[in-house]
Amino acid sequence: MSSVNQILIEKQGQVGIVNFQTEKLNVLSHALRADLYQAIQQLLADAEVESIVLAGLNKAFSAGADIAEFSAGTHLQFPSLHDLVHLLSDADKPVVAAISGTALGGGLELALACHHRVVHAKAQLALPEVHLGLLPGAAGTQLLPRYIGAEAALDAILTGKPLKLALLAETPLLDVLTDADAKQAAIEFAVTVQKAPHIKHITLELNDALVELLQAKRDAAGTKPQNVVQHAIINAVEAAVTLDFEQGFAKEQVLFQSLTTSSVSKSLRHAFFAEREAKNIPDLSADACAKNIEKVAVIGAGTMGSGIAICFLQAGFPVTLIEKQQEGLERGLSLIQKHFASQVAKGRLTEEKAQAIQANLSTSLEYSALAQVDLALEAVFEDWDVKTSVLKQMDQYLPPHAVLASNTSTLDLNVLAQQTSRPESVVGLHFFSPAQVMPLLEVIRTNTTDDSTLMTALEIGKRLRKVAVVAGVCDGFIGNRMLNEYLRIAGLLIDAGASPYQIDSALENWGMAMGPFRMCDMAGNDIGYLIRKQQLKLDPNKKFSGIADQLVEAKRLGQKTQKGWYDYSQGNRRGEHDAEVLAMIDVYRTERGIQVKNFSDEEIVARCIYALANEGFRLLEEGIALRQSDIDVVYLAGYGFPRWRGGPMFYATEQGLDNMIAAMQQFAQDPTTDASFWQVPDLLAQLAS
Ligand code: NAD
């Protein structure tokens, strides 16, 4: 089977078999659809053939529709998935789908359009379109309820989760569930099968229980703008119950079209492609390859080192944990043990498995333990002299092929790398806290990091199941540098008249997982304090609100001292508004003679989100970020940015960059803000024009 001709037709007795296989997991591109359509027509016209088997080879029956076609509109080009659904479900010979791997989205819809399905017990069947802000648009919402009932179908389509095959064995969805070869079993089944009308002709019944269920799902979806998707799915499944197939299919189509053009779906699709694109590093030499990493060491068993060691252990790496003192090692070991004990308690790991993973952990107080290691990562104190001395030790003891990784958040990795005899092997692996939970990994490429070291770092990200994004060296890299500006602008908004509670609630209602002040309380307000002091050393004119400093000086460090911007002393984990804080703010403004202004939630959101995007354009201009979409990925994976808004850069672009510029020019007029920050970066001006 050539990769151009993706179809192989064979015959066994009176069974005609359409084998199909593409390099891209049988994604239903226009080319594959056309080939399938023609092959099925050919077998339908073949008098010798009495039944047909559709066998997706490869690991996938089909991974689904080609999402890129939705934006281009080519998904509707003949033969569309709809044409295939009609051809199959109207076929006058029984068609059997043989599913051995995954059948996702459009791939499952193709199988639902067949008369029968022979499925391997380990196959994965799902309609995950909801994650892209879509509904299954090739009769999935109409057919699945007819196979497994409206309630189960609604659940499957709303969650996008794989169907639990063992529970569906008695439904017409699964004619045969087999542990053997699905194609062979399908051919045997096809020999015996009689022609019967397709399930689409069945009419479902809208009973009271279903009416209640639909209402309950609608209530749960509520009025949040991102839930347009859930409402459309509920309406489509309702149509499967109240209308005949053709009418229901038409309704599904209308709903599908409205979602494809919705900003929610555009944003979710952008996020999907952005994550894929982040893996692509355009300037790597073609012959560079990742090094083979088998053993790793983590130096420093503090908060980050322990969490990072957990990540490596969970991914199956033998890990040596190195500390300077026994006490530090013991603290780290206890953090690691606690983690695995809690995984066992939560039923996520068996005791046996947890023990086996931890058996891969060894410890040492000597750098000589690095001699057998392929990659060592330091997570010691964020102090120039400590880091330099640790990197020098790594350089001395690691074998020549090894990668030297640093988890520094703020130090200049270009200069740190030069402290070793092999700066080309130094790379930043910037994890986020808690490292075993947070999916984001910034991979920091220094001026000297060579291609193979960078590729190794990206490969490590993949093996740790992190979302890895490459960034250049600067203070804060991509994520924290933008965050610092976002927090600074949010702080200045308090000076100008907004309360921290209004700012948090405006941004949370807009979709951020946590408002900026709630977030600072969680991280510890002392961290921001130190960052501000550091930034002021570098630029004494940088404008900050002084209120955050006053809070720290009053020992309101956040959750850890039970008081910060919020009051946690009553046990409320989200904290309560605190009149004391508001009074401090009042005094602060009065002392400075600030004329307070009322802010709308919209303006608060615009200032804060444009602060992110504005700094993002600067990062792009400086070449720290490779592309806008990488910045979005950082914010989606690491900072609780709502995925359905696509990321700060995508959001700003969708709003219109000229609108962003106009808003920035207006913000710059406000005397309490930092006019210099709102100067339009050249790149932004260029892109807008
Ligand atoms: P931490 O203070 O919890 O841990 C540092 C550990 O390093 C301590 O256990 C200390 O004993 C050990 N150590 C110090 N000197 C050492 C040496 N010479 N040899 C071996 N071990 C030594 O600090 P942390 O929060 O885990 O931060 C570690 C690094 O991770 C810093 O560079 C920090 O900037 C970075 N980071 C921290 C966070 C965070 O949220 N905490 C997030 C990302 C990155």
Side-chain angles (χ1 to χ4, degrees):
M1 206 182 311
S2 80
S3 61
V4 180
N5 185 6
Q6 305 157 328
I7 298 277
L8 177 73
I9 296 178
E10 56 175 319
K11 283 196 221 165
Q12 290 192 21
Q14 283 149 335
V15 180
I17 304 145
V18 180
N19 298 285
F20 56 110
Q21 178 174 25
T22 72
E23 283 164 8
K24 286 187 164 182
L25 299 175
N26 287 333
V27 162
L28 291 158
S29 63
H30 181 258
L32 177 58
R33 295 197 305 268
D35 285 352
L36 278 172
Y37 197 90
Q38 198 194 0
I40 295 161
Q41 272 190 322
Q42 185 183 322
L43 289 178
L44 287 173
D46 187 331
E48 281 177 13
V49 169
E50 291 192 354
S51 56
I52 298 171
V53 168
L54 216 52
L57 300 181
N58 215 332
K59 280 182 242 155
F61 177 75
S62 166
D66 184 344
I67 301 156
E69 287 193 10
F70 295 150
S71 307
T74 45
H75 65 294
L76 297 174
Q77 230 173 53
F78 181 83
S80 67
L81 253 179
H82 288 191
D83 298 317
L84 272 169
V85 166
H86 285 301
L87 179 70
L88 288 166
S89 59
D90 292 337
D92 57 8
K93 297 175 185 178
V95 186
V96 183
I99 306 174
S100 46
T102 47
L104 302 179
L108 178 54
E109 290 175 296
L110 191 70
L112 297 179
C114 296
H115 301 85
H116 303 280
R117 281 140 303 277
V118 173
V119 180
H120 192 273
K122 290 197 175 140
Q124 202 189 36
L125 276 56
L127 293 174
E129 286 84 347
V130 66
H131 300 308
L132 297 173
L134 296 171
L135 51 74
T141 66
Q142 303 307 297
L143 292 176
L144 194 61
R146 287 174 161 86
Y147 284 114
I148 67 171
E151 183 172 354
L154 194 56
D155 190 50
I157 301 170
L158 281 172
T159 63
K161 285 189 185 157
L163 298 172
K164 294 198 173 105
L165 298 184
L167 301 181
L168 300 172
E170 301 303 317
T171 67
L173 178 75
L174 304 175
D175 295 271
V176 179
L177 191 59
T178 177
D179 288 317
D181 180 60
K183 177 179 160 188
Q184 199 46 46
I187 295 168
E188 286 160 20
F189 179 80
V191 173
T192 61
V193 76
Q194 299 292 315
K195 169 91 180 76
H198 192 273
I199 202 163
K200 72 180 182 180
H201 300 293
I202 285 182
T203 313
L204 294 173
E205 193 197 332
L206 182 66
N207 54 32
D208 290 349
L210 198 51
V211 171
E212 256 176 52
L213 177 78
L214 290 168
Q215 191 52 48
K217 296 281 182 199
R218 286 195 169 103
D219 292 345
T223 54
K224 288 190 179 154
Q226 66 270 38
N227 288 349
V228 287
V229 187
Q230 281 69 17
H231 283 289
I233 290 171
I234 297 164
N235 291 345
V237 172
E238 185 178 51
V241 184
T242 52
L243 303 175
D244 71 23
F245 175 78
E246 290 304 335
Q247 289 170 324
F249 197 2
K251 171 111 192 218
E252 177 193 87
Q253 211 18 232
V254 172
L255 292 164
F256 179 82
Q257 282 307 332
S258 73
L259 289 181
T260 52
T261 52
S262 71
S263 71
V264 173
S265 177
K266 279 191 202 160
S267 303
L268 291 171
R269 281 180 281 151
H270 165 76
F272 175 82
F273 285 116
E275 280 164 5
R276 273 197 186 175
E277 186 65 14
K279 300 181 181 117
N280 237 329
I281 311 305
D283 59 344
L284 288 179
S285 71
D287 50 355
C289 54
K291 298 177 185 183
N292 184 28
I293 304 295
E294 283 176 11
K295 290 188 182 157
V296 303
V298 176
I299 304 162
T303 313
M304 293 308 289
S306 310
I308 294 167
I310 291 169
C311 296
F312 278 108
L313 286 168
Q314 287 182 160
F317 289 93
V319 177
T320 305
L321 193 58
I322 298 180
E323 260 285 344
K324 56 176 181 177
Q325 282 168 348
Q326 186 61 29
E327 199 191 344
L329 264 187
E330 277 161 18
R331 210 177 36 237
L333 278 178
S334 123
L335 287 173
I336 295 171
Q337 281 157 1
K338 248 192 220 154
H339 166 81
F340 284 107
S342 109
Q343 294 292 300
V344 172
K346 288 177 187 156
R348 292 188 190 149
L349 278 181
T350 61
E351 180 64 41
E352 220 178 7
K353 182 84 184 150
Q355 292 302 336
I357 293 175
Q358 288 176 88
N360 257 342
L361 177 66
S362 57
T363 58
S364 179
L365 296 172
E366 304 294 334
Y367 284 93
S368 54
L370 294 175
Q372 308 296 325
V373 159
D374 307 304
L375 178 146
L377 179 140
E378 70 72 23
V380 299
F381 299 141
E382 187 76 349
D383 175 276
W384 183 261
D385 293 338
V386 177
K387 292 268 195 221
T388 306
S389 107
V390 168
L391 271 160
K392 284 191 166 155
Q393 305 262 27
M394 289 161 73
D395 191 16
Q396 184 181 343
Y397 287 99
L398 282 166
H401 70 275
V403 169
L404 287 71
S406 169
N407 187 43
T408 182
S409 318
T410 56
L411 301 177
D412 187 333
L413 205 54
N414 284 331
V415 186
L416 267 181
Q418 296 301 330
Q419 312 303 305
T420 72
S421 67
R422 37 181 151 168
E424 69 284 358
S425 302
V426 175
V427 68
L429 287 178
H430 188 225
F431 288 79
F432 288 73
S433 181
Q436 69 275 23
V437 176
M438 294 294 289
L440 179 62
L441 177 68
E442 283 179 320
V443 172
I444 314 303
R445 182 186 203 175
T446 72
N447 291 337
T448 45
T449 306
D450 67 17
D451 288 357
S452 118
T453 303
L454 187 70
M455 287 175 78
T456 311
L458 287 167
E459 182 61 27
I460 288 293
K462 193 164 145 195
R463 285 175 69 183
L464 301 187
R465 295 169 181 261
K466 297 289 180 195
V467 179
V469 178
V470 173
V473 175
C474 70
D475 185 11
F477 311 125
I478 297 176
N480 284 345
R481 185 167 132 183
M482 288 166 64
L483 181 75
N484 290 340
E485 295 306 315
Y486 168 81
L487 294 177
R488 195 161 71 87
I489 293 303
L492 292 172
L493 268 169
I494 298 185
D495 285 13
S499 86
Y501 311 123
Q502 187 195 359
I503 298 171
D504 275 359
S505 90
L507 284 157
E508 286 167 7
N509 290 338
W510 183 81
M512 296 298 287
M514 213 182 260
F517 299 102
R518 210 185 287 289
M519 189 178 73
C520 289
D521 269 0
M522 196 181 75
N525 291 318
D526 44 334
I527 293 181
Y529 186 85
L530 293 175
I531 293 172
R532 288 190 294 278
K533 297 288 168 239
Q534 183 60 27
Q535 294 200 335
L536 280 169
K537 249 194 228 164
L538 299 173
D539 176 4
N541 295 323
K542 196 153 188 162
K543 192 167 174 181
F544 287 100
S545 163
I547 297 167
D549 291 353
Q550 289 190 2
L551 238 60
V552 173
E553 283 149 14
K555 302 275 178 290
R556 300 188 69 115
L557 304 188
Q559 290 189 9
K560 60 184 166 191
T561 55
Q562 305 229 326
K563 284 190 182 202
W565 294 98
Y566 292 81
D567 181 350
Y568 304 88
S569 60
Q570 303 307 309
N572 179 351
R573 287 193 62 202
R574 274 179 67 75
E576 318 223 354
H577 295 193
D578 193 332
E580 248 177 61
V581 172
L582 295 176
M584 280 169 77
I585 294 170
D586 270 347
V587 173
Y588 177 92
R589 290 181 188 139
T590 314
E591 281 172 0
R592 283 158 187 77
I594 296 171
Q595 291 282 324
V596 296
K597 184 180 145 185
N598 279 328
F599 284 93
S600 66
D601 287 1
E602 289 72 28
E603 176 156 3
I604 289 173
V605 168
R607 286 206 193 194
C608 294
I609 302 301
Y610 284 155
L612 286 175
N614 189 25
E615 195 61 16
F617 282 110
R618 296 209 171 100
L619 285 164
L620 272 176
E621 213 168 58
E622 293 167 27
I624 301 292
L626 283 171
R627 352 161 223 251
Q628 289 193 33
S629 59
D630 283 6
I631 298 175
D632 288 333
V633 174
V634 165
Y635 263 75
L636 297 175
Y639 293 85
F641 198 96
R643 195 173 170 86
W644 59 275
R645 297 225 190 241
M649 307 307 279
F650 182 78
Y651 177 75
T653 308
E654 287 291 290
Q655 297 301 299
L657 295 182
D658 38 0
N659 290 328
M660 172 172 168
I661 291 174
M664 284 168 55
Q665 285 163 343
Q666 189 215 323
F667 304 154
Q669 308 296 318
D670 181 344
T672 53
T673 191
D674 177 356
S676 66
F677 174 73
W678 294 116
Q679 292 304 306
V680 177
D682 290 345
L683 179 67
L684 171 54
Q686 255 173 43
L687 290 171
S689 65

